[in-house]
Amino acid sequence: MTAPAQASGSAWNVLRHHDFRWMYTAQGISFIGSWMQLAAVNWHVYQLTGDAAALGLVGLVRIVPIIVLSLFGGALADAFDRRRLMIITSGLMAVAATLLALLTLSGAATLPVLYAFTALLAGLSAFDKPAWAGLLPNLVPRNELAHAVRLNVVLIETTAVFGPVLAGLLLARVDVGGAYLLNGLSFIPVVAALLVVRAQPLPGAQRVPFSLGAIADGIRFVRATPMLWSTMVLDFFATFFASALALLPIYASDILRVGAEGYGLLFAAPAIGAAVGALGMAQLGGRVQRQGVVLMAAIAVYGAATIVFGLSSVFWLSMLALAVTGLSDSISAVIRNELRQLLTPDHLRGRMLSINQIFFLGGPQLGEFEAGVLARAFGAPCSVITGGVCTILVVALTAAGVPMLRRYRAGDALPAPAPLPAVSTSPAASGD
């Protein structure tokens, strides 16, 4: 099969579409809150315990609900109105984040409470993220989908700059509960935007009844599409081995000795690099031709920069190394996300994206747990350096074992997957 025709020019042109622009702005506010909370929880846990293993356990607490619930979330996104599903999940996440803020400000946020609310928010995201990614193609014309995907990566990466920096300022000057409260408030614009946008169903799109069989169909589709499956596996193992973010409180407090504000800057450094990479990819549009080579080279650079960070005891060098990890990761993320959206029929989109979420989030979150355990036994630098080396080895093995991915160029014909699962004739899942 071949990739569909894509619009030329800058990806920013897609913002002329009213509904996409509304949702893009609202999601930007929400993403800032989510990144802020992510940084705040890690700092909060380390301040309560001073234990690397307890810090690594945050990643495990986040990923278990996602692994358990993501497949159901993807099936729901294909079975029901994705816009209404997002209204429900965003509202529930607003309530959960606000409750955590109130408990923290009252002094009742113990370690089990932090773990419980972290798990709850992660579980809700397992339903929210497939719905949002599945809704995206209904906000822009089909030939501009690649542009929308690139801008979505830009959104994720640029908001990841502001969220941790804002968290660092709040942690240093106010209270960690303030970060949680702002995250709760950040969901309000999303709900407001969802109430006014009118997503357009894709031609021929159909709703798939929710069932275990529908979930199995999604898994079979991904496994039968080598370009999807190989990028997901590569993404999982690369981020599993090179998950340095969980150990940043240790680096900020004990190795670099830069305090809460320095921690916020360290946490934001990968996002600064990622924002540069994502903005560059958005501006380049579809002009990156040897996408398979670029994808693998970017992940190898990610591993090498992780090694540099692990070896560094100088703040500016650590910042630079983390920025390079973000830059390289965003380049590979743009290519991976374009492939996945363009190769997936709309009635399977939610399920494909939910499977991808398990790999995309499972790698770094399980990697955070592994990094915490290894850091407790051998020290944080050993944990980080080992992860970077293993990431480079994973890229080498993938390049040798999946030549199709290594040789892929933009616009190449791709092997068709196995026959797609049959769908019902009910209305599209993304309408009003």
Side-chain angles (χ1 to χ4, degrees):
M1 67 184 288
T2 58
Q6 300 179 31
S8 59
S10 171
W12 298 104
N13 294 333
V14 78
L15 288 172
R16 73 183 185 279
H17 299 290
H18 175 271
D19 288 336
F20 177 77
R21 187 169 64 249
W22 269 98
M23 282 302 302
Y24 192 78
T25 303
Q27 286 287 69
I29 296 170
S30 178
F31 287 173
I32 288 175
S34 297
W35 281 109
M36 183 169 55
Q37 173 136 341
L38 182 67
V41 165
N42 284 356
W43 180 263
H44 197 176
V45 168
Y46 191 62
Q47 292 304 302
L48 285 175
T49 65
D51 185 356
L55 192 57
L57 192 57
V58 175
L60 188 63
V61 167
R62 284 193 186 110
I63 194 54
V64 169
I66 290 173
I67 292 175
V68 172
L69 298 174
S70 275
L71 294 177
F72 296 96
L76 282 174
D78 286 339
F80 300 107
D81 185 328
R82 291 163 182 164
R83 185 175 62 87
R84 291 192 177 104
L85 181 58
M86 283 190 68
I87 291 173
I88 295 171
T89 55
S90 296
L92 291 175
M93 285 191 285
V95 172
T98 303
L99 284 175
L100 178 58
L102 295 175
L103 288 170
T104 301
L105 293 170
S106 67
T110 61
L111 186 63
V113 168
L114 288 178
Y115 285 156
F117 274 89
T118 297
L120 174 60
L121 286 164
L124 289 170
S125 75
F127 295 90
D128 183 77
K129 290 185 184 300
W132 162 239
L135 183 67
L136 195 62
N138 305 114
L139 302 175
V140 297
R142 174 68 171 170
N143 69 324
E144 295 186 66
L145 176 57
H147 284 345
V149 171
R150 293 182 193 117
L151 285 197
N152 192 48
V153 176
V154 170
L155 187 68
I156 293 170
E157 305 299 0
T158 54
T159 54
V161 175
F162 299 109
V165 170
L166 183 56
L169 294 173
L170 288 170
L171 293 172
R173 291 178 169 81
V174 188
D175 187 275
V176 67
Y180 301 151
L181 181 59
L182 286 180
N183 181 42
L185 295 174
S186 74
F187 291 103
I188 295 176
V190 177
V191 175
L194 287 165
L195 291 172
V196 299
V197 301
R198 291 293 180 266
Q200 299 300 316
L202 297 179
Q206 295 173 306
R207 189 173 291 171
V208 180
F210 177 81
S211 67
L212 294 178
I215 294 174
D217 287 341
I219 296 172
R220 280 195 291 270
F221 169 73
V222 171
R223 286 291 290 117
T225 310
M227 293 296 287
L228 293 178
W229 180 250
S230 61
T231 57
M232 289 181 187
V233 172
L234 177 60
D235 190 18
F236 175 87
F237 282 106
T239 54
F240 175 82
F241 287 121
S243 295
L245 286 181
L247 303 179
L248 288 186
I250 298 174
Y251 272 84
S253 297
D254 304 334
I255 297 175
L256 302 174
R257 301 186 184 281
V258 291
E261 291 188 13
Y263 167 68
L265 291 173
L266 286 170
F267 204 101
I272 294 171
V276 172
L279 288 166
M281 291 293 284
Q283 193 61 35
L284 284 171
R287 292 194 289 272
V288 177
Q289 293 300 309
R290 299 188 65 186
Q291 293 193 350
V293 171
V294 172
L295 170 65
M296 292 189 174
I299 298 175
V301 170
Y302 177 80
T306 299
I307 295 172
V308 173
F309 172 75
L311 292 169
S312 173
S313 59
V314 179
F315 181 67
W316 69 265
L317 180 59
S318 299
M319 285 279 293
L320 178 61
L322 288 172
V324 173
T325 66
L327 173 69
S328 55
D329 185 51
S330 70
I331 292 171
S332 70
V334 169
I335 297 172
R336 296 193 310 264
N337 286 323
E338 283 184 31
L339 276 171
R340 291 162 189 166
Q341 286 278 16
L342 295 172
L343 291 173
T344 306
D346 190 66
H347 73 276
L348 283 159
R349 200 178 303 279
R351 284 165 286 173
M352 181 280 292
L353 291 165
S354 69
I355 296 168
N356 177 61
Q357 184 173 221
I358 293 174
F359 284 86
F360 172 69
L361 295 178
Q365 301 300 342
L366 290 174
E368 287 184 8
F369 178 67
E370 175 267 340
V373 172
L374 199 60
R376 189 183 200 183
F378 302 104
C382 177
S383 176
V384 174
I385 294 166
T386 302
V389 171
C390 289
T391 298
I392 295 173
L393 291 176
V394 166
V395 174
L397 290 172
T398 304
V402 191
M404 177 191 301
L405 180 60
R406 185 182 71 244
R407 297 168 186 160
Y408 175 70
R409 301 173 67 95
D412 279 357
L414 300 171
L420 301 180
V423 298
S424 72
T425 57
S426 54
S430 50
D432 296 336

mmCIF file with all atom_site columns, all heavy atoms in Angstrom, residues 312-331:
data_model
loop_
_atom_site.group_PDB
_atom_site.id
_atom_site.type_symbol
_atom_site.label_atom_id
_atom_site.label_alt_id
_atom_site.label_comp_id
_atom_site.label_asym_id
_atom_site.label_entity_id
_atom_site.label_seq_id
_atom_site.pdbx_PDB_ins_code
_atom_site.Cartn_x
_atom_site.Cartn_y
_atom_site.Cartn_z
_atom_site.occupancy
_atom_site.B_iso_or_equiv
_atom_site.pdbx_formal_charge
_atom_site.auth_seq_id
_atom_site.auth_comp_id
_atom_site.auth_asym_id
_atom_site.auth_atom_id
_atom_site.pdbx_PDB_model_num
ATOM 1   N N   . SER A 1 312 ? 28.105 13.220 33.250 1.00 0.00 ? 312 SER A N   1
ATOM 2   C CA  . SER A 1 312 ? 28.324 14.633 33.571 1.00 0.00 ? 312 SER A CA  1
ATOM 3   C C   . SER A 1 312 ? 28.086 14.947 35.046 1.00 0.00 ? 312 SER A C   1
ATOM 4   O O   . SER A 1 312 ? 27.170 14.412 35.671 1.00 0.00 ? 312 SER A O   1
ATOM 5   C CB  . SER A 1 312 ? 27.395 15.507 32.721 1.00 0.00 ? 312 SER A CB  1
ATOM 6   O OG  . SER A 1 312 ? 27.479 16.859 33.117 1.00 0.00 ? 312 SER A OG  1
ATOM 7   N N   . SER A 1 313 ? 28.909 15.846 35.558 1.00 0.00 ? 313 SER A N   1
ATOM 8   C CA  . SER A 1 313 ? 28.676 16.422 36.886 1.00 0.00 ? 313 SER A CA  1
ATOM 9   C C   . SER A 1 313 ? 28.658 17.947 36.801 1.00 0.00 ? 313 SER A C   1
ATOM 10  O O   . SER A 1 313 ? 28.780 18.634 37.809 1.00 0.00 ? 313 SER A O   1
ATOM 11  C CB  . SER A 1 313 ? 29.776 15.970 37.864 1.00 0.00 ? 313 SER A CB  1
ATOM 12  O OG  . SER A 1 313 ? 31.054 16.363 37.391 1.00 0.00 ? 313 SER A OG  1
ATOM 13  N N   . VAL A 1 314 ? 28.513 18.459 35.577 1.00 0.00 ? 314 VAL A N   1
ATOM 14  C CA  . VAL A 1 314 ? 28.482 19.901 35.314 1.00 0.00 ? 314 VAL A CA  1
ATOM 15  C C   . VAL A 1 314 ? 27.081 20.259 34.822 1.00 0.00 ? 314 VAL A C   1
ATOM 16  O O   . VAL A 1 314 ? 26.568 19.636 33.879 1.00 0.00 ? 314 VAL A O   1
ATOM 17  C CB  . VAL A 1 314 ? 29.534 20.297 34.265 1.00 0.00 ? 314 VAL A CB  1
ATOM 18  C CG1 . VAL A 1 314 ? 29.476 21.798 33.988 1.00 0.00 ? 314 VAL A CG1 1
ATOM 19  C CG2 . VAL A 1 314 ? 30.925 19.874 34.724 1.00 0.00 ? 314 VAL A CG2 1
ATOM 20  N N   . PHE A 1 315 ? 26.475 21.271 35.438 1.00 0.00 ? 315 PHE A N   1
ATOM 21  C CA  . PHE A 1 315 ? 25.078 21.586 35.158 1.00 0.00 ? 315 PHE A CA  1
ATOM 22  C C   . PHE A 1 315 ? 24.831 21.906 33.682 1.00 0.00 ? 315 PHE A C   1
ATOM 23  O O   . PHE A 1 315 ? 23.912 21.359 33.064 1.00 0.00 ? 315 PHE A O   1
ATOM 24  C CB  . PHE A 1 315 ? 24.630 22.756 36.034 1.00 0.00 ? 315 PHE A CB  1
ATOM 25  C CG  . PHE A 1 315 ? 23.198 23.149 35.838 1.00 0.00 ? 315 PHE A CG  1
ATOM 26  C CD1 . PHE A 1 315 ? 22.165 22.289 36.210 1.00 0.00 ? 315 PHE A CD1 1
ATOM 27  C CD2 . PHE A 1 315 ? 22.863 24.374 35.270 1.00 0.00 ? 315 PHE A CD2 1
ATOM 28  C CE1 . PHE A 1 315 ? 20.836 22.645 36.036 1.00 0.00 ? 315 PHE A CE1 1
ATOM 29  C CE2 . PHE A 1 315 ? 21.538 24.742 35.092 1.00 0.00 ? 315 PHE A CE2 1
ATOM 30  C CZ  . PHE A 1 315 ? 20.520 23.865 35.480 1.00 0.00 ? 315 PHE A CZ  1
ATOM 31  N N   . TRP A 1 316 ? 25.657 22.767 33.071 1.00 0.00 ? 316 TRP A N   1
ATOM 32  C CA  . TRP A 1 316 ? 25.391 23.166 31.693 1.00 0.00 ? 316 TRP A CA  1
ATOM 33  C C   . TRP A 1 316 ? 25.541 21.999 30.723 1.00 0.00 ? 316 TRP A C   1
ATOM 34  O O   . TRP A 1 316 ? 24.784 21.887 29.750 1.00 0.00 ? 316 TRP A O   1
ATOM 35  C CB  . TRP A 1 316 ? 26.292 24.332 31.270 1.00 0.00 ? 316 TRP A CB  1
ATOM 36  C CG  . TRP A 1 316 ? 27.757 23.984 31.123 1.00 0.00 ? 316 TRP A CG  1
ATOM 37  C CD1 . TRP A 1 316 ? 28.739 24.135 32.041 1.00 0.00 ? 316 TRP A CD1 1
ATOM 38  C CD2 . TRP A 1 316 ? 28.385 23.414 29.959 1.00 0.00 ? 316 TRP A CD2 1
ATOM 39  N NE1 . TRP A 1 316 ? 29.945 23.703 31.548 1.00 0.00 ? 316 TRP A NE1 1
ATOM 40  C CE2 . TRP A 1 316 ? 29.761 23.262 30.264 1.00 0.00 ? 316 TRP A CE2 1
ATOM 41  C CE3 . TRP A 1 316 ? 27.926 23.031 28.699 1.00 0.00 ? 316 TRP A CE3 1
ATOM 42  C CZ2 . TRP A 1 316 ? 30.669 22.735 29.359 1.00 0.00 ? 316 TRP A CZ2 1
ATOM 43  C CZ3 . TRP A 1 316 ? 28.834 22.498 27.784 1.00 0.00 ? 316 TRP A CZ3 1
ATOM 44  C CH2 . TRP A 1 316 ? 30.185 22.356 28.110 1.00 0.00 ? 316 TRP A CH2 1
ATOM 45  N N   . LEU A 1 317 ? 26.512 21.107 30.984 1.00 0.00 ? 317 LEU A N   1
ATOM 46  C CA  . LEU A 1 317 ? 26.692 19.940 30.122 1.00 0.00 ? 317 LEU A CA  1
ATOM 47  C C   . LEU A 1 317 ? 25.526 18.974 30.282 1.00 0.00 ? 317 LEU A C   1
ATOM 48  O O   . LEU A 1 317 ? 25.046 18.384 29.300 1.00 0.00 ? 317 LEU A O   1
ATOM 49  C CB  . LEU A 1 317 ? 28.013 19.241 30.449 1.00 0.00 ? 317 LEU A CB  1
ATOM 50  C CG  . LEU A 1 317 ? 28.341 17.999 29.611 1.00 0.00 ? 317 LEU A CG  1
ATOM 51  C CD1 . LEU A 1 317 ? 28.393 18.343 28.133 1.00 0.00 ? 317 LEU A CD1 1
ATOM 52  C CD2 . LEU A 1 317 ? 29.663 17.379 30.066 1.00 0.00 ? 317 LEU A CD2 1
ATOM 53  N N   . SER A 1 318 ? 25.045 18.828 31.508 1.00 0.00 ? 318 SER A N   1
ATOM 54  C CA  . SER A 1 318 ? 23.875 17.981 31.742 1.00 0.00 ? 318 SER A CA  1
ATOM 55  C C   . SER A 1 318 ? 22.653 18.530 31.017 1.00 0.00 ? 318 SER A C   1
ATOM 56  O O   . SER A 1 318 ? 21.880 17.778 30.406 1.00 0.00 ? 318 SER A O   1
ATOM 57  C CB  . SER A 1 318 ? 23.595 17.890 33.246 1.00 0.00 ? 318 SER A CB  1
ATOM 58  O OG  . SER A 1 318 ? 24.681 17.314 33.935 1.00 0.00 ? 318 SER A OG  1
ATOM 59  N N   . MET A 1 319 ? 22.465 19.857 31.085 1.00 0.00 ? 319 MET A N   1
ATOM 60  C CA  . MET A 1 319 ? 21.357 20.492 30.366 1.00 0.00 ? 319 MET A CA  1
ATOM 61  C C   . MET A 1 319 ? 21.468 20.243 28.866 1.00 0.00 ? 319 MET A C   1
ATOM 62  O O   . MET A 1 319 ? 20.488 19.899 28.193 1.00 0.00 ? 319 MET A O   1
ATOM 63  C CB  . MET A 1 319 ? 21.358 21.997 30.652 1.00 0.00 ? 319 MET A CB  1
ATOM 64  C CG  . MET A 1 319 ? 20.856 22.393 32.021 1.00 0.00 ? 319 MET A CG  1
ATOM 65  S SD  . MET A 1 319 ? 19.046 22.447 32.111 1.00 0.00 ? 319 MET A SD  1
ATOM 66  C CE  . MET A 1 319 ? 18.695 23.833 31.025 1.00 0.00 ? 319 MET A CE  1
ATOM 67  N N   . LEU A 1 320 ? 22.676 20.415 28.328 1.00 0.00 ? 320 LEU A N   1
ATOM 68  C CA  . LEU A 1 320 ? 22.886 20.226 26.891 1.00 0.00 ? 320 LEU A CA  1
ATOM 69  C C   . LEU A 1 320 ? 22.603 18.786 26.484 1.00 0.00 ? 320 LEU A C   1
ATOM 70  O O   . LEU A 1 320 ? 21.944 18.529 25.469 1.00 0.00 ? 320 LEU A O   1
ATOM 71  C CB  . LEU A 1 320 ? 24.316 20.617 26.526 1.00 0.00 ? 320 LEU A CB  1
ATOM 72  C CG  . LEU A 1 320 ? 24.714 20.440 25.052 1.00 0.00 ? 320 LEU A CG  1
ATOM 73  C CD1 . LEU A 1 320 ? 23.839 21.320 24.165 1.00 0.00 ? 320 LEU A CD1 1
ATOM 74  C CD2 . LEU A 1 320 ? 26.195 20.778 24.853 1.00 0.00 ? 320 LEU A CD2 1
ATOM 75  N N   . ALA A 1 321 ? 23.108 17.816 27.256 1.00 0.00 ? 321 ALA A N   1
ATOM 76  C CA  . ALA A 1 321 ? 22.889 16.404 26.928 1.00 0.00 ? 321 ALA A CA  1
ATOM 77  C C   . ALA A 1 321 ? 21.395 16.066 26.950 1.00 0.00 ? 321 ALA A C   1
ATOM 78  O O   . ALA A 1 321 ? 20.889 15.370 26.063 1.00 0.00 ? 321 ALA A O   1
ATOM 79  C CB  . ALA A 1 321 ? 23.651 15.518 27.909 1.00 0.00 ? 321 ALA A CB  1
ATOM 80  N N   . LEU A 1 322 ? 20.686 16.568 27.959 1.00 0.00 ? 322 LEU A N   1
ATOM 81  C CA  . LEU A 1 322 ? 19.247 16.308 28.034 1.00 0.00 ? 322 LEU A CA  1
ATOM 82  C C   . LEU A 1 322 ? 18.512 16.961 26.865 1.00 0.00 ? 322 LEU A C   1
ATOM 83  O O   . LEU A 1 322 ? 17.552 16.395 26.327 1.00 0.00 ? 322 LEU A O   1
ATOM 84  C CB  . LEU A 1 322 ? 18.692 16.817 29.365 1.00 0.00 ? 322 LEU A CB  1
ATOM 85  C CG  . LEU A 1 322 ? 19.087 16.007 30.603 1.00 0.00 ? 322 LEU A CG  1
ATOM 86  C CD1 . LEU A 1 322 ? 18.625 16.726 31.871 1.00 0.00 ? 322 LEU A CD1 1
ATOM 87  C CD2 . LEU A 1 322 ? 18.493 14.602 30.551 1.00 0.00 ? 322 LEU A CD2 1
ATOM 88  N N   . ALA A 1 323 ? 18.950 18.159 26.467 1.00 0.00 ? 323 ALA A N   1
ATOM 89  C CA  . ALA A 1 323 ? 18.327 18.828 25.327 1.00 0.00 ? 323 ALA A CA  1
ATOM 90  C C   . ALA A 1 323 ? 18.513 18.015 24.049 1.00 0.00 ? 323 ALA A C   1
ATOM 91  O O   . ALA A 1 323 ? 17.598 17.915 23.221 1.00 0.00 ? 323 ALA A O   1
ATOM 92  C CB  . ALA A 1 323 ? 18.904 20.232 25.154 1.00 0.00 ? 323 ALA A CB  1
ATOM 93  N N   . VAL A 1 324 ? 19.688 17.402 23.889 1.00 0.00 ? 324 VAL A N   1
ATOM 94  C CA  . VAL A 1 324 ? 19.939 16.575 22.699 1.00 0.00 ? 324 VAL A CA  1
ATOM 95  C C   . VAL A 1 324 ? 19.061 15.329 22.719 1.00 0.00 ? 324 VAL A C   1
ATOM 96  O O   . VAL A 1 324 ? 18.563 14.885 21.675 1.00 0.00 ? 324 VAL A O   1
ATOM 97  C CB  . VAL A 1 324 ? 21.425 16.205 22.599 1.00 0.00 ? 324 VAL A CB  1
ATOM 98  C CG1 . VAL A 1 324 ? 21.666 15.205 21.475 1.00 0.00 ? 324 VAL A CG1 1
ATOM 99  C CG2 . VAL A 1 324 ? 22.269 17.453 22.364 1.00 0.00 ? 324 VAL A CG2 1
ATOM 100 N N   . THR A 1 325 ? 18.830 14.749 23.910 1.00 0.00 ? 325 THR A N   1
ATOM 101 C CA  . THR A 1 325 ? 17.922 13.593 23.965 1.00 0.00 ? 325 THR A CA  1
ATOM 102 C C   . THR A 1 325 ? 16.531 13.997 23.487 1.00 0.00 ? 325 THR A C   1
ATOM 103 O O   . THR A 1 325 ? 15.864 13.260 22.752 1.00 0.00 ? 325 THR A O   1
ATOM 104 C CB  . THR A 1 325 ? 17.820 13.007 25.391 1.00 0.00 ? 325 THR A CB  1
ATOM 105 O OG1 . THR A 1 325 ? 17.202 13.947 26.283 1.00 0.00 ? 325 THR A OG1 1
ATOM 106 C CG2 . THR A 1 325 ? 19.173 12.596 25.928 1.00 0.00 ? 325 THR A CG2 1
ATOM 107 N N   . GLY A 1 326 ? 16.075 15.175 23.896 1.00 0.00 ? 326 GLY A N   1
ATOM 108 C CA  . GLY A 1 326 ? 14.764 15.632 23.456 1.00 0.00 ? 326 GLY A CA  1
ATOM 109 C C   . GLY A 1 326 ? 14.708 15.929 21.976 1.00 0.00 ? 326 GLY A C   1
ATOM 110 O O   . GLY A 1 326 ? 13.728 15.587 21.293 1.00 0.00 ? 326 GLY A O   1
ATOM 111 N N   . LEU A 1 327 ? 15.757 16.571 21.455 1.00 0.00 ? 327 LEU A N   1
ATOM 112 C CA  . LEU A 1 327 ? 15.823 16.885 20.027 1.00 0.00 ? 327 LEU A CA  1
ATOM 113 C C   . LEU A 1 327 ? 15.729 15.632 19.180 1.00 0.00 ? 327 LEU A C   1
ATOM 114 O O   . LEU A 1 327 ? 14.917 15.542 18.243 1.00 0.00 ? 327 LEU A O   1
ATOM 115 C CB  . LEU A 1 327 ? 17.137 17.622 19.742 1.00 0.00 ? 327 LEU A CB  1
ATOM 116 C CG  . LEU A 1 327 ? 17.466 17.895 18.267 1.00 0.00 ? 327 LEU A CG  1
ATOM 117 C CD1 . LEU A 1 327 ? 16.516 18.927 17.695 1.00 0.00 ? 327 LEU A CD1 1
ATOM 118 C CD2 . LEU A 1 327 ? 18.912 18.361 18.114 1.00 0.00 ? 327 LEU A CD2 1
ATOM 119 N N   . SER A 1 328 ? 16.533 14.638 19.510 1.00 0.00 ? 328 SER A N   1
ATOM 120 C CA  . SER A 1 328 ? 16.558 13.405 18.721 1.00 0.00 ? 328 SER A CA  1
ATOM 121 C C   . SER A 1 328 ? 15.262 12.623 18.881 1.00 0.00 ? 328 SER A C   1
ATOM 122 O O   . SER A 1 328 ? 14.738 12.043 17.913 1.00 0.00 ? 328 SER A O   1
ATOM 123 C CB  . SER A 1 328 ? 17.762 12.551 19.121 1.00 0.00 ? 328 SER A CB  1
ATOM 124 O OG  . SER A 1 328 ? 17.775 12.303 20.514 1.00 0.00 ? 328 SER A OG  1
ATOM 125 N N   . ASP A 1 329 ? 14.712 12.611 20.088 1.00 0.00 ? 329 ASP A N   1
ATOM 126 C CA  . ASP A 1 329 ? 13.475 11.870 20.310 1.00 0.00 ? 329 ASP A CA  1
ATOM 127 C C   . ASP A 1 329 ? 12.313 12.481 19.537 1.00 0.00 ? 329 ASP A C   1
ATOM 128 O O   . ASP A 1 329 ? 11.463 11.763 18.990 1.00 0.00 ? 329 ASP A O   1
ATOM 129 C CB  . ASP A 1 329 ? 13.155 11.837 21.803 1.00 0.00 ? 329 ASP A CB  1
ATOM 130 C CG  . ASP A 1 329 ? 11.947 10.968 22.116 1.00 0.00 ? 329 ASP A CG  1
ATOM 131 O OD1 . ASP A 1 329 ? 11.907 9.812  21.664 1.00 0.00 ? 329 ASP A OD1 1
ATOM 132 O OD2 . ASP A 1 329 ? 11.026 11.453 22.806 1.00 0.00 ? 329 ASP A OD2 1
ATOM 133 N N   . SER A 1 330 ? 12.254 13.805 19.453 1.00 0.00 ? 330 SER A N   1
ATOM 134 C CA  . SER A 1 330 ? 11.140 14.436 18.745 1.00 0.00 ? 330 SER A CA  1
ATOM 135 C C   . SER A 1 330 ? 11.213 14.172 17.246 1.00 0.00 ? 330 SER A C   1
ATOM 136 O O   . SER A 1 330 ? 10.190 14.017 16.583 1.00 0.00 ? 330 SER A O   1
ATOM 137 C CB  . SER A 1 330 ? 11.108 15.942 19.017 1.00 0.00 ? 330 SER A CB  1
ATOM 138 O OG  . SER A 1 330 ? 12.192 16.598 18.394 1.00 0.00 ? 330 SER A OG  1
ATOM 139 N N   . ILE A 1 331 ? 12.418 14.124 16.701 1.00 0.00 ? 331 ILE A N   1
ATOM 140 C CA  . ILE A 1 331 ? 12.567 13.818 15.274 1.00 0.00 ? 331 ILE A CA  1
ATOM 141 C C   . ILE A 1 331 ? 12.030 12.425 14.980 1.00 0.00 ? 331 ILE A C   1
ATOM 142 O O   . ILE A 1 331 ? 11.263 12.215 14.025 1.00 0.00 ? 331 ILE A O   1
ATOM 143 C CB  . ILE A 1 331 ? 14.037 13.949 14.849 1.00 0.00 ? 331 ILE A CB  1
ATOM 144 C CG1 . ILE A 1 331 ? 14.475 15.423 14.912 1.00 0.00 ? 331 ILE A CG1 1
ATOM 145 C CG2 . ILE A 1 331 ? 14.251 13.380 13.446 1.00 0.00 ? 331 ILE A CG2 1
ATOM 146 C CD1 . ILE A 1 331 ? 15.963 15.635 14.712 1.00 0.00 ? 331 ILE A CD1 1
#
